[in-house]
Amino acid sequence: MSDGGGRTFFGHPRGLATLFGTEMWERFSWYGLRAILATFMAASPANQGLGLSDVTAQAVVGVYGALIYLVALPGGWIADRILGARRSVFWGGFIIMLGHISMAIPVTTPFFVWLGLALIITGTGLLKPNISVMVGRLYPEEDDGRRDAGFSLFYLGINLGAFFAPLVVGWLAAGDRWHLGFGAAAVGMALGLAQYVGGRRHLSGVGERPGMRLTPEERRRFGRLAGLGTALTVVALAAWAATGTLTIDRFTVAVTIVILIVPVAYFGYIMLGSHDLTDDERIRMKAYMWLFVAAAVFWMIYDLAPSKLLFFARDHTELSLFGVPIQPATTQAFNPLFIMIFVPVFAALWVKLGTRVSTPQKFSFALVMVGLSFVVMAVAAALAGTGRVSVWWLVLVYLVQVFGELSLSPVGLSVTAKLAPEAFKGQMLGLWFIAVSVGDAVGGQTGRLGEVLSEPMYYLLLAALAVVAGIALFMFTRRLRVMMAEHHEPAMR
């Protein structure tokens, strides 16, 4: 569904430019906030922060990231059944912008901070899954090659936004100007919305209508259930608050437990429900469960970048690169920079290796890499005991981690689509993002280990967990390949 003979965007439908710009600015706002959120929460009220402990701030950032990925499931459903992708993206971006504006209000009460985070979570659930769907729908069904290339350009936009955000927002927020940084994130989302509205004529009707709109009766039922669920949640929180035991720490633990229950319940629903799964589909789902756990372990460590590693940059590193002073938030730009550099390298590598390297082996490599990155962190933390260390230690950590990410993240999306039972094709990609959600939530809670372990031992413990998981997965590679049907004859029924 291109623009016919009109102008194109690097040979792609003109609508890709609209979505590219929208997503780039949305990611600018997301990564800009993420780059300063933990240090803002841990800063004292005298320094315009919330005065939380580092442990609590890490837990909050973990739960915040986890919920961002978890709400992609209902966000996709709302687009499919109620709003359509196009309106979902607009309203999602608008709500995100309101969230950043709320956080930018320079008042001492934390109410507007929590309101802002809730709005950003809600808006991202509407925008993030649906803008990717719209990219895919710009192309005819049979145009797989151009579609893949279009997604590559789209992901470039994501990483451009992720790279520049920490640089700009970190600089603006320096000197305890936190709300100025949050304001920059709001401006970024506003620019994304302007790009989206201004370029909507190039979208050629993509995403205008829900794929399967709710009937009036279904709408009423959904409204009742949504209202009941909201009311029960509010009552439960109010009752908890009335007991005097509700704290931010305990709330993050409760949310983490709920997030852990979600994949268990979902896998149980798939495996135990009556969905006419074939024997092969059941076997492949059992294999996928192991890959899901491996992915959760990976993200548990990898997504400590905006909390634990950010605190290390703040407290233990000499913040300068090539003699130029930098902010702690600037270290968050290393990751997207390395991704942009190495994506084409790894894409070519996987094509060259073909089927000689299996999915479990790629996951194993990813786990070992993220584990080794924390071995590096343990060494850096030990050296930091006698003074600040060079920021190049963090550069090395992020470089090693990116090797792991590029072995797991795109491969995970691919294998999820491949192993999905026929009855769950449309839902399984959402399940993959739940692995990220689980990892982020649990990773946020690992900060509590720092209360009983030294800094180097904290990193070594998580490193050992990842490396052992990677080795175990590698040892069962042959068995998993059989279960995944990479070398498996269809079972007879």
Side-chain angles (χ1 to χ4, degrees), residues 54-128:
D54 285 3
V55 171
T56 301
Q58 180 176 334
V60 171
V61 171
V63 163
Y64 169 64
L67 290 174
I68 286 286
Y69 285 99
L70 193 65
V71 295
L73 277 174
W77 185 89
I78 288 171
D80 285 343
R81 306 302 305 276
I82 301 175
L83 292 177
R86 184 178 296 195
R87 283 193 294 167
S88 293
V89 168
F90 172 80
W91 286 112
F94 185 73
I95 294 169
I96 290 170
M97 183 181 69
L98 293 180
H100 287 298
I101 291 172
S102 178
M103 296 190 69
I105 297 174
V107 294
T108 55
T109 172
F111 170 79
F112 289 103
V113 173
W114 303 121
L115 174 63
L117 292 179
L119 288 171
I120 294 167
I121 290 168
T122 302
T124 305
L126 285 172
L127 185 148
K128 185 63 178 164

Side-chain angles (χ1 to χ4, degrees), residues 24-47:
M24 182 183 72
W25 285 113
E26 186 273 330
R27 289 291 89 183
F28 176 93
S29 70
W30 155 248
Y31 281 100
L33 169 64
R34 201 175 91 138
I36 63 172
L37 181 59
T39 44
F40 160 70
M41 289 185 163
S44 70
N47 293 322

Side-chain angles (χ1 to χ4, degrees), residues 186-225:
V187 170
M189 192 64 254
L191 289 171
L193 276 176
Q195 170 100 10
Y196 187 69
V197 173
R200 65 183 182 273
R201 66 186 183 279
H202 299 300
L203 295 175
S204 306
V206 169
E208 280 189 343
R209 296 178 180 82
M212 190 182 296
R213 191 187 297 273
L214 293 177
T215 65
E217 175 56 33
E218 288 173 330
R219 274 178 173 269
R220 286 190 290 271
R221 189 183 309 124
F222 169 73
R224 289 194 297 268
L225 288 174

Side-chain angles (χ1 to χ4, degrees), residues 129 224 326 341 475:
R224 289 194 297 268
I326 62 172
I341 292 171
M475 291 174 63

Side-chain angles (χ1 to χ4, degrees), residues 223-244:
R224 289 194 297 268
L225 288 174
L228 178 62
T230 302
L232 288 175
T233 301
V234 171
V235 168
L237 288 175
W240 190 2
T243 66

